Amino acid sequence: MDDYSKSMEERIIESYKRDEEMMILVFAQWCVNNSLDPHVLYLQAYPQQEGNVALSNALALTVPKEEAGDISDDTVLGVLSLYSNDDLAYAVTQAIAGRKPPLGTKD
């Protein structure tokens, strides 16, 4: 592999890692915004991955829900699906389904 190809491959890998970190950050902030523990939800999807460093790093970047912008359910599910993160998307879907309906609505 020549230097150009190797450099291009390294840039692609770095770009993917940054995008993956952004996906994890969106998930973590969505959890914070919805008063969910991202570690618990993550472990529901991936019980063998306790102590996920990337998730811990993302949590350090989250802000309180009062300061955060809205992240819709569709947005977090869309971001997870971009990375074929089906197990975590399933756990998120379960959390969404378990919510109580807003006050003043009929269920």
Side-chain angles (χ1 to χ4, degrees):
M1 184 181 291
D2 64 16
D3 287 342
Y4 176 78
S5 296
K6 194 171 191 173
S7 174
M8 180 63 88
E9 182 179 315
E10 289 171 357
R11 285 195 304 251
I12 291 170
I13 290 169
E14 283 304 310
S15 176
Y16 183 85
K17 285 180 183 178
R18 279 191 310 274
D19 291 347
E20 188 176 40
E21 289 168 358
M22 185 58 65
M23 178 228 10
I24 296 168
L25 179 57
V26 167
F27 163 74
Q29 189 64 60
W30 177 86
C31 287
V32 169
N33 291 359
N34 288 280
S35 302
L36 298 168
D37 185 333
H39 288 290
V40 170
L41 207 54
Y42 189 86
L43 284 175
Q44 288 174 4
Y46 303 108
Q48 71 284 5
Q49 292 186 23
E50 191 166 343
N52 183 288
V53 175
L55 180 56
S56 294
N57 291 342
L59 276 172
L61 299 174
T62 61
V63 296
K65 64 181 172 180
E66 299 78 26
E67 297 175 23
D70 183 49
I71 299 173
S72 72
D73 298 341
D74 288 340
T75 297
V76 73
L77 291 170
V79 169
L80 293 173
S81 73
L82 282 173
Y83 285 85
S84 301
N85 206 329
D86 299 332
D87 294 336
L88 191 53
Y90 180 76
V92 167
T93 301
Q94 294 289 92
I96 293 168
R99 287 187 195 142
K100 293 181 181 177
L103 293 176
T105 61
K106 295 182 181 180
D107 188 31

